[in-house]
Amino acid sequence: MDLDDWALRFDLLADPTRLGLLAHMHERGPGAATVTDLAAAVGITGNAASQALRVLREQGWVTAERDPADGRVVRYSLVDQTVHRILHLMGARHD
């Protein structure tokens, strides 16, 4: 067990903004959530959402892809399976 890795995970999950963004991405499903969607769901500005998403992308928890139909739109997905399982343990659901 890598205690430093788990401590970092819990530190990142302890932030209500990041946790809310992850939960909303989880609920929406892969490639569905935009910065605007995520910011509205958590009740923060788009700039604050972008900063939190940057941290999550740097950790490899989240990916960002341009929408093929509209290249100006970026869609976010939760890709870290450990975080996915943690969200389920917390009661998060998705379709």
Side-chain angles (χ1 to χ4, degrees):
M1 177 169 39
D2 185 343
L3 295 179
D4 289 335
D5 181 55
W6 279 104
L8 176 61
R9 282 186 187 277
F10 287 126
D11 184 50
L12 291 172
L13 289 170
D15 179 76
T17 297
R18 288 190 294 260
L19 185 56
L21 294 172
L22 290 164
H24 189 69
M25 276 183 275
H26 179 266
E27 178 184 325
R28 293 286 312 270
T34 66
V35 170
T36 303
D37 296 333
L38 292 164
V42 181
I44 58 176
T45 66
N47 187 41
S50 293
Q51 290 176 5
L53 288 164
R54 179 184 49 79
V55 172
L56 297 172
R57 280 193 324 269
E58 288 172 354
Q59 292 303 313
W61 292 11
V62 170
T63 59
E65 295 182 12
R66 295 237 175 246
D67 186 322
D70 182 351
R72 297 172 295 162
V73 175
V74 177
R75 299 198 176 271
Y76 292 85
S77 300
L78 170 62
V79 294
D80 186 281
Q81 290 304 305
T82 301
V83 174
H84 187 124
R85 288 190 303 270
I86 289 170
L87 289 169
H88 277 276
L89 289 171
M90 294 171 56
R93 299 287 177 246
H94 52 78
D95 295 333

